[in-house]
Amino acid sequence: MKGMKGKRRRSTLVVALALVAGLGATVPSHAEETYPFRDPSLTVDQRVDDLLSRLTLDEKIGLLHQYQAAVPRLGIQSFRTGTEALHGVAWLGEATVFPQAIGLASTWDPALMEQVGSAVGDEARGFQQERPPGWGLNLWAPVVNPLRDPRWGRNEEGYSEDPGLTGALSTAYGEGLTGGDPDHLKTAPTLKHYLANNNEWHRTTTSSDLRPRVAKEYDEAAFRPAIEANAATGVMSSYNLVNGRPATVNPDLNDVVRKWTSYDLLNVSDAFAPGNLPGDQKYFPSVVEGDAAAMKAGLDSFTDNDANSSVTTGAVKSALEQGLLEESDVDEAAGHILSVRVRLGEFDPGGGKYGSIDRSVINSPAHQKLAREAATEGAVLLKNQAGALPLKKSAKNVAVVGPLADTLYTDWYSGTLPYAVTPAEGIAAKLGVSQVAQSEGVDRIALKNAATGKYVTAGTDTDGEPLKETAASDTSAQFDVFDWGSGVVTLRSAANGKYVGYNWSSFVNDQVQPGGWFAQQQFKLEEQSDGTYLLRYAGYETEEPWWGNPVYLGPTGTDGTLGLVAKDAAAHYSKDVVRSGVEEAAAAVKGKDTAVVVVGSNPSINGREAHDRTDMSLAPAQEALVKAVRKANPKTVVIVENSYPTTLGALQQEVPAVLWTSHAGQETGNALADLLYGDANPSGRLTQTWYKSESDLPSILDYDIIKSDRTYQYFKGRPLYPFGYGLSYTSFRYGSLKQVPGGYEVKVTNTGHRTGAEVVQLYAHQRVSRDKQPLKQLEAFQKVSLKPGETKTVKLKVTKKDLAHWDVTRSKWVVESGTYDVLVGASATDIRARATWQVSGETIPARDLSRTTRAENFDDYDGTRLVDESKERGTAVGVTAADGAWLKFADSQLGSRASKFTARLAGASGTVEVRLGSPTGTLAGTATFGGTSSPYAYETVTADLSRAAKGRTDVYLVLKGEGLRLATFSLR
């Protein structure tokens, strides 16, 4: 039943229709049931071809938008791409909320990932009988962009900085979502976001430079496994540009991604991305040209203009009229879409294999149990000094304090929590008490106008009221201040327990939690030289280019209602501390058997979609809280609940135990209690390097992990916590490493007194190579559970093919002959066993620059960017430095002599110098270029080379002329 990739080879319609005659005895007489596309015994291609033949051109075009219209005359229902299912079904009502993706990944447990994916797929199906708005079986998950930079605002959505680990976990999650049979899909998962999408800052206009090695070895490597395993049914193109070309028109969608599988893929755009092509990207003059180019590149479904499909369908029709598209292009895209719909069972009797699933699966007891298991396995024990953990259940006099002690936060892609077990509730339940001593540890303040003496007051009813300045000084004038770092705070009214938010006209205490697209509950208290404070509104929309309003608060009406005013008209407030959060928390923990401090992030504020982080540390007030609690009670353990590596500063040195968890969903509190009290043994491991400081990282816009020494693969510094790190309540001993057919094996023994799980990690390192190689690269891993004293032989699969890297001299994968170190251990830095592997591969020959060489296939560079060779395809090198830009082509064989340099250049005028040995080495020749009117209009230039251009040497092309572009060259 396989749906074939690429240009659809139409099966002869006569053959398909002839099969109808054979259906007469078994198919009901109802007209809908007689169509071959409804016959499950036919192949997917036959069914798709039959359906396409029955659709009008307008109906086929109508399939190309996210909201696909129904075709009543054929009994076809509407279809929508894009149900969010990152860690549970989102935005459809209450459904099981599993840990954030980064938390799921921290389990390092593909089998568990597949179970979670299967549960999420079941729940997506569970909504199918009622089809609520926003529902569909094309799921936009998982996110597989490798997490090369922890400052990325969407770090919570991804899995790991390692592409191999990302690929293994996304494949497992995808297999759960699909049901494991690509011919009969439970759901149709879509991988996000292709490609190189790791910054939110100006995300629609920044370009990610991907030199071929980074593209092949890193970014593509994360996407390929799930597609190759048929655990995903397509990719979503990202907002950004890649090498100067918008990802929405990236030809990789056809030329690369579709070659990874023999099944039809349904590729979708990100929301509103098609409109960006003629919009802020200004890449095409109109949506007509943009949509046509996107379809030619391999995009099938346009997510644009919300539910209004007319802009897309109108553009496609205009493109057909103008000859930019042919009907065969429409058939191709529509065929990809229909292939997935057929495999989903939409046209099968009863909805196919999964058509009977109903809403009884949603938040079922089995899924609740699985959510608790996932939240438990995904937590990582970072520190456990002198056996501070696990805690004793007999010591019931416990205090649980901190801003996250008794609340659960959800992120943008979370589902609606059906219930919430907070850390304090989970610990109380574990101890069998009604509640534990608590304190949020936040200051309660009053803001008094220094000029008038009036207080900022809020409404006392559940719906709140606009903030005003009044004479009241009771709880209506008091606010709890939550510090989230970078100066941003949220204000919760003491009068009704609701957060203050902006509603585009006034500030009202009516919000249950900070949230929403612009998170309009954010403020800054800016201290002035006279000791007073200005109250600044810091909702995310204030950072948008269209924001033209002032950002400071002050009374704007005769009744004292607060509104936005210019800074010189802002009210100056004294900040009166009604209750000190630090003092209250210290009092709560004093004399207790244990103090548990829960700190961390708010996923709507500390970086999220559209907003990167600039600060990875704990908020200052939270750090001060931990220090005060530790001083008041030495038996302090800290839970850090957030979605990204945290610098932690000196804090991790000052407390005896630190446990990290993501925002882990409805069962967070129970999972943490299980871990704290030893009913579960921590087994989570970090999937990212935790750095000591932001100074360890280059610009977030630098995607060249090889040159800039990024991720554990290339980072030469000393991390706070390394990739793969995580402690246990037991200990493990590794035996010697032994090579066996298909990989390596090592005996691992639990040498402690508790059952525990170890994540055995195998890394490889190539000692000598033509090219810069990773310091270590994860090649295999296995999570193994061991009882006390138990030994298991762990086999780790690794083959010679796994050692390949991308050879830019010949544009192919290559395994070099040589010695490889094989390293097995508990993290990237905790290596317990070693072996060497003598690999018989090949030797990369010297470069032959007499052949036409693509400029992008350099070995090193400076002062350049990768740019689009044409709007359709190809990558060139553009000069960004006013002087001194260069490209290195190492180990080139020029033979007895190369006499002529030939290059294809476009854009600004300039010169290309051919130098030998270094950017300032022997000058062998200079080509002069007069420039072209368009950066896409290439001309060929030549230069004679001196007699020095001979032998085996490093060749440098020194490029002068900002805006000059080089596509290809040769030395003959």
Side-chain angles (χ1 to χ4, degrees), residues 498-629:
K498 298 289 184 68
Y499 288 86
V500 177
Y502 183 53
N503 62 10
W504 301 101
S505 62
S506 58
F507 296 89
V508 184
N509 58 318
D510 62 352
Q511 305 290 300
V512 175
Q513 272 194 9
W517 181 251
F518 291 117
Q520 295 178 295
Q521 304 82 23
Q522 301 182 78
F523 299 88
K524 292 185 177 183
L525 285 165
E526 298 182 348
E527 188 171 9
Q528 305 301 294
S529 59
D530 61 359
T532 63
Y533 291 82
L534 301 185
L535 184 56
R536 180 188 180 112
Y537 174 55
Y540 280 145
E541 74 272 30
T542 62
E543 300 176 16
E544 297 291 334
W546 46 262
W547 179 265
N549 299 324
V551 294
Y552 289 93
L553 273 67
T556 57
T558 56
D559 63 350
T561 298
L562 294 185
L564 293 173
V565 298
K567 185 174 184 178
D568 59 4
H572 285 244
Y573 295 106
S574 63
K575 185 177 73 171
D576 302 335
V577 178
V578 178
R579 183 189 66 207
S580 166
V582 165
E583 291 177 4
E584 183 189 69
V589 304
K590 198 164 187 178
K592 297 295 189 292
D593 296 327
T594 307
V596 178
V597 191
V598 191
V599 293
S601 72
N602 185 308
S604 292
I605 293 173
N606 294 103
R608 47 149 289 178
E609 184 170 356
H611 295 276
D612 293 315
R613 268 177 294 282
T614 57
D615 183 354
M616 295 190 298
S617 62
L618 279 180
Q622 292 188 29
E623 188 162 350
L625 172 69
V626 173
K627 291 180 179 179
V629 169

Side-chain angles (χ1 to χ4, degrees), residues 829-853:
T829 62
D830 185 4
I831 301 303
R832 307 289 186 86
R834 300 169 180 266
T836 56
W837 187 359
Q838 299 299 325
V839 174
S840 175
E842 60 180 299
T843 300
I844 299 174
R847 277 187 184 267
D848 181 3
L849 295 184
S850 67
R851 299 181 302 182
T852 298
T853 298

Side-chain angles (χ1 to χ4, degrees), residues 662-677:
S662 69
H663 294 281
Q666 61 202 53
E667 286 286 340
T668 298
N670 284 332
L672 290 174
D674 287 343
L675 291 163
L676 290 175
Y677 287 91

